[in-house]
Amino acid sequence: MSIILFGLVVWSVPVIMAASAGDYFGPAAAASALAALTFAFSGGQALGPVAAGYLAEITGDFSISYMISGIAAFVAIGLALLLRPQKQA
């Protein structure tokens, strides 16, 4: 079941990011906004495992890393809920 759910949503994040960049920044600035979003996303992908490994080395397990990851996910959900639809011109 986990693999099926993962397969259904794995490619949704880049598509949603690209669509949101176009909606919120317009056609002229969408490419620059998507580049900044991708850079921030990739930074988290690169630094996350390093930080988790460091915390695991200090504490002896990954429980704090999992807790921080869960909290970050809930914060992201809350921030996403604050997004408002763009007004139609």
Side-chain angles (χ1 to χ4, degrees):
M1 185 64 165
S2 175
I3 291 173
I4 292 171
L5 290 174
F6 178 76
L8 290 172
V9 300
V10 69
W11 298 115
S12 65
V13 173
V15 172
I16 292 170
M17 287 172 43
S20 297
D23 289 347
Y24 281 91
F25 296 100
S32 296
L34 186 56
L37 288 167
T38 304
F39 186 71
F41 186 78
S42 64
Q45 291 287 327
L47 295 177
V50 174
Y54 179 73
L55 287 172
E57 191 173 302
I58 291 173
T59 63
D61 65 0
F62 284 99
S63 60
I64 292 177
S65 298
Y66 291 139
M67 182 177 56
I68 292 171
S69 177
I71 291 169
F74 279 109
V75 168
I77 290 169
L79 291 173
L81 291 173
L82 294 176
L83 291 174
R84 297 289 176 231
Q86 294 296 310
K87 294 181 180 177
Q88 299 297 324

